[in-house]
Amino acid sequence: NHFEKGDLIYHADIQGAAHVIVKAQGKKIPQNTLYEAAQFAAVLCKAWQEKLAAVDVYSAEFRQVTKQAPSGEAIGKGAFMVYGKREWYRKTPLNICIGADEKGNLACASMSAVKKTCKQFFELAPGDEKKNAIAKQVSRFFEKKIGVKFSVDEINQALPSGEIQIQKLHGQ
């Protein structure tokens, strides 16, 4: 419903992956945005829960995607067919950052996207700690460092599904 001419769709090459759409809005999509979208699609798939380090992701243009199955075949609900050449992002790393800016906005995205607006942020990867424990730690840190209190639920909603590890804190 939200995918339009000029947009790109990203999908990790693993069963049960989310669809990530980059809205072009009639403009050329910057190269760094293309990679950030691939990384976001990688994080939003089951590869995170399976604790993989990387996964292949592809993008396709609007004209290449259809919900119509070829004659004699069926397509599942929410599934789509992609025809033509795909743009591949091989071995896209499963890491993401969560940060907060000075205005108290929470950002959860690739490092290149988060560090544009956040002076302090956590670099995250699939791991062995419960998501809720990480959310509590992140909430306490941001309240102490920038004076903004995020609820644990708010942080949990921004984080990927599955267990997490903090790889690094940037901007102490």
Side-chain angles (χ1 to χ4, degrees):
N1 292 343
H2 303 287
F3 194 35
E4 302 171 320
K5 186 176 181 180
D7 296 346
L8 293 174
I9 192 165
Y10 285 76
H11 194 265
D13 195 24
I14 189 170
Q15 183 71 25
H19 307 137
V20 173
I21 298 172
V22 176
K23 303 295 288 174
Q25 299 174 328
K27 300 174 186 167
K28 185 177 191 277
I29 301 169
Q31 194 65 35
N32 65 320
T33 301
L34 301 178
Y35 183 75
E36 289 168 357
Q39 195 168 19
F40 196 61
V43 167
L44 292 178
C45 73
K46 289 184 180 181
W48 186 282
Q49 293 163 333
E50 293 175 14
K51 300 178 184 176
L52 301 177
V55 68
D56 292 341
V57 176
Y58 67 85
S59 69
E61 297 175 14
F62 178 79
R63 63 180 170 75
Q64 295 176 262
V65 179
T66 181
K67 287 189 166 199
Q68 301 292 321
S71 181
E73 292 184 32
I75 190 167
K77 185 175 181 174
F80 56 86
M81 298 292 296
V82 177
Y83 294 98
K85 187 175 188 294
R86 302 170 192 201
E87 183 71 30
W88 285 94
Y89 299 82
R90 301 283 185 197
K91 295 185 172 126
T92 302
L94 271 73
N95 57 11
I96 195 162
C97 294
I98 188 163
D101 65 18
E102 300 295 324
K103 296 176 185 174
N105 298 310
L106 190 64
C108 191
S110 69
M111 185 183 301
S112 60
V114 171
K115 71 186 201 181
K116 288 176 189 173
T117 59
C118 303
K119 291 180 182 172
Q120 298 171 325
F121 57 92
F122 292 91
E123 188 176 348
L124 309 171
D128 297 322
E129 291 193 53
K130 299 287 183 204
K131 181 176 168 178
N132 205 53
I134 296 293
K136 286 178 185 176
Q137 185 176 346
V138 169
S139 176
R140 284 191 301 268
F141 176 83
F142 289 138
E143 184 174 18
K144 181 179 173 186
K145 287 293 187 177
I146 64 169
V148 177
K149 175 126 174 91
F150 295 101
S151 72
V152 172
D153 286 342
E154 189 176 8
I155 294 170
N156 267 329
Q157 287 177 355
L159 296 173
S161 296
E163 295 178 328
I164 300 173
Q165 72 177 356
I166 294 175
Q167 290 189 312
K168 188 174 181 182
L169 172 61
H170 295 265
Q172 283 186 322

